[in-house]
Amino acid sequence: MLEAILSGADQLFTLPTLLTMLVGVTVGVIAAAIPGFTITMAIVLTLPLTFTMPPLQGVATMLAVYIGGYTGGMISAALLGIPGTPSAVATTFDAFPMARNGEPGRALALGIWASFFGTLISTLVLIAAAPPLALIAVKLGAWEYFSLVVFALTIVASLVGRSMVRGLMAGLLGLLIATVGADPLMGVTRFTFDLRVLSAGIPFLVVLIGIYAVSQLLREVENPDQVQQGRELITGRIEFRPFAALREVVMNPINLFRSSMVGVFIGAVPGAGGSIANLLAYDQAKRGSRHPEEFGKGSSEGVIASESGNSATSGGGLIPMIALGIPGSAVDAVLMAALMVHGIGVGPRLIMDHADTVYGMFMAMFVAGVMMLVICLLSMRLFLKVTSIPKSVIVPVVLTCCLVGAFTLNNRVTDIYLLLGIGVVGYIMTKLDYPLAPLVLGVILGPIAETNLRRALMTNEDWTLFFTRPISAVLLGLAVISIVLAIRYHLRQNRIRPEEA
């Protein structure tokens, strides 16, 4: 093992490798900060550039893009209220209100440090516990996946806002949107009403950009006087004190560790990803907080939980890939392809046959995390200048980026129409006091739930297996407990009778 570690370090700590990793982290941060430009897209574009590199250098460069991307999505979430990536959805809940309250520097600094510690914790878990955690993850069948999604859907009860009925209606609308288009298993078109614009379905990223970005921009231009006067998006004195934020994060150890472990576990479950980890970590932090009423208004606990949770999936996703050759996400699948291009077989024998490469990847995670921290802390003052740009400039620029991002997803003009339509829907929902988060959660989890439910019933028509398989039963039990606790909390907060919930 010592020989493998030294060999991996010898390959990693070379000037070309460190330089390409530095570029990779920077590219990841910038790409993820652009709404619609996902981490997966950045990784895919990076892959061809690594073909001429040595194996470890190529994989380390893509890992750097990976780590930088999980933090970059937080920048637009905090400063614009628009999640740069799906894994930054929950970050908008508290980071943007904190920025609007005159503390954008604090919001960014909390997110940076939380992302760094989330990456650090997940890498330590990856090194120490890859084989046992991977064995747990690989035992999950379609029944367990469905039950896991049901458990994740109970988060809706915590994100409903002041009215549980409106929150649940928003969640159901998200599930309905997820069913439009081609059937995920049989390919049969449904709920399109013979409209060409709906024939290919409604892509999740179009929903995400529209519901947050376009609706937010519409709210910003509600008052034409502010736009004409050149009013900034965020007003007040802008301060950036990273070490004060570090102290705040370190003084929140339970929340930080719990959220990171949620991210590790979700990352180790193939197909789950950072978007689920982001929301689930936020939900658990709210339930365990002494001041849950502050969540959604600029709570530092919410920012720490969401960012440490999504960043921790980076290490968690590598667990099944390294131990068993099963990608935890689309990004991990691209990393597998990079290893295979360089003649490295991915599977149970990877850590035995190519131990130096594996340990080099572990060290690359640490190095990329440190690079991300340094680059973000040094460049945050530059990003904070966004807050001084007048609305009359920033709104058309951001809207143009959103339209271009929606088009480039599938090169379809119809996606632009859907984006604008969904943006208007999101604007109307906010005006009617309907929460947006349950809708987004329904769109994320709906297809996963449907696919695994149908796959389980196609494998075995006995529906009782959802309750007799141990892991599935435990997850469904946790879902019931989660719903009961959320309802009790909602009733206590709103001081209403149960029949009015």
Side-chain angles (χ1 to χ4, degrees), residues 70-116:
Y70 270 119
T71 305
M74 173 267 303
I75 296 171
S76 55
L79 299 182
L80 302 175
I82 304 168
T85 61
S87 58
V89 169
T91 307
T92 60
F93 300 162
D94 283 290
F96 188 56
M98 187 181 292
R100 294 301 290 264
N101 292 336
E103 297 181 299
R106 178 175 172 232
L108 289 178
L110 286 172
I112 293 168
W113 284 111
S115 294
F116 171 71

Side-chain angles (χ1 to χ4, degrees), residues 98-383:
M98 187 181 292
R100 294 301 290 264
N101 292 336
E103 297 181 299
R106 178 175 172 232
L108 289 178
L110 286 172
I112 293 168
W113 284 111
S115 294
F116 171 71
F117 284 115
T119 303
L120 189 67
I121 292 171
S122 71
T123 305
L124 291 172
V125 175
L126 170 66
I127 295 171
L133 282 179
L135 287 175
I136 293 173
V138 79
K139 287 181 180 178
L140 300 182
W143 300 268
E144 287 76 19
Y145 277 121
F146 175 75
S147 300
L148 176 64
V149 173
V150 170
F151 175 48
L153 279 169
T154 62
I155 299 173
V156 168
S158 297
L159 303 176
V160 293
R162 287 176 290 184
S163 172
M164 183 166 287
V165 173
R166 290 176 180 176
L168 293 177
M169 288 177 66
L172 290 173
L173 178 60
L175 292 173
L176 178 63
I177 290 173
T179 62
V180 175
D183 178 294
L185 294 182
M186 308 301 293
V188 179
T189 303
R190 57 193 183 175
F191 301 122
T192 60
F193 307 101
D194 291 328
L195 295 175
R196 188 177 169 218
V197 71
L198 297 177
S199 59
I202 305 177
F204 162 64
L205 283 170
V206 170
V207 176
L208 180 68
I209 299 170
I211 209 72
Y212 279 109
V214 178
S215 66
Q216 176 66 36
L217 295 177
L218 289 174
R219 292 197 296 273
E220 295 300 335
V221 297
E222 278 181 336
N223 189 339
D225 293 335
Q226 291 187 2
V227 178
Q228 291 174 4
Q229 293 169 6
R231 184 73 62 85
E232 296 91 350
L233 192 67
I234 295 172
T235 57
R237 184 182 177 186
I238 308 301
E239 294 184 350
F240 181 58
R241 298 184 294 175
F243 294 106
L246 170 61
R247 191 180 310 111
E248 201 168 352
V249 172
V250 172
M251 294 300 290
N252 222 307
I254 296 176
N255 181 21
L256 179 65
F257 183 75
R258 178 183 57 229
S259 302
S260 298
M261 293 309 297
V262 167
V264 170
F265 177 75
I266 296 298
V269 176
S275 53
I276 296 178
N278 182 246
L279 290 160
L280 194 57
Y282 183 88
D283 174 67
Q284 295 304 308
K286 183 176 180 180
R287 292 171 188 265
S289 173
R290 294 181 180 178
H291 304 286
E293 70 281 355
E294 295 179 2
F295 278 67
K297 301 176 183 178
S299 169
S300 60
E301 293 180 76
V303 179
I304 293 169
S306 58
E307 279 305 301
S308 59
N310 69 29
S311 293
T313 58
S314 57
L318 292 179
I319 291 172
M321 189 198 87
I322 289 176
L324 300 162
I326 300 173
S329 65
V331 176
D332 299 318
V334 178
L335 290 173
M336 283 180 59
L339 288 170
M340 294 169 70
V341 164
H342 290 288
I344 298 176
V346 180
R349 293 194 58 85
L350 174 63
I351 201 165
M352 291 184 286
D353 296 342
H354 303 280
D356 56 341
T357 301
V358 172
Y359 282 105
M361 290 171 63
F362 292 160
M363 286 182 279
M365 294 279 288
F366 278 114
V367 174
V370 174
M371 286 181 174
M372 176 276 296
L373 178 67
V374 173
I375 289 172
C376 287
L377 289 179
L378 292 178
S379 61
M380 278 307 104
R381 292 192 183 279
L382 180 62
F383 284 116

Side-chain angles (χ1 to χ4, degrees), residues 6-96:
L6 293 175
S7 177
D10 184 56
Q11 297 176 54
L12 181 69
F13 293 103
T14 61
L15 186 59
T17 302
L18 294 176
L19 286 176
T20 54
M21 286 183 66
L22 190 64
V23 173
V25 169
T26 307
V27 168
V29 170
I30 295 173
I34 302 172
F37 202 98
T38 64
I39 303 172
T40 305
M41 292 169 65
I43 288 284
V44 169
L45 292 176
T46 306
L47 178 60
L49 304 178
T50 65
F51 288 166
T52 57
M53 300 179 185
L56 183 56
Q57 182 183 358
V59 176
T61 301
M62 290 197 293
L63 283 174
V65 177
Y66 193 14
I67 300 297
Y70 270 119
T71 305
M74 173 267 303
I75 296 171
S76 55
L79 299 182
L80 302 175
I82 304 168
T85 61
S87 58
V89 169
T91 307
T92 60
F93 300 162
D94 283 290
F96 188 56

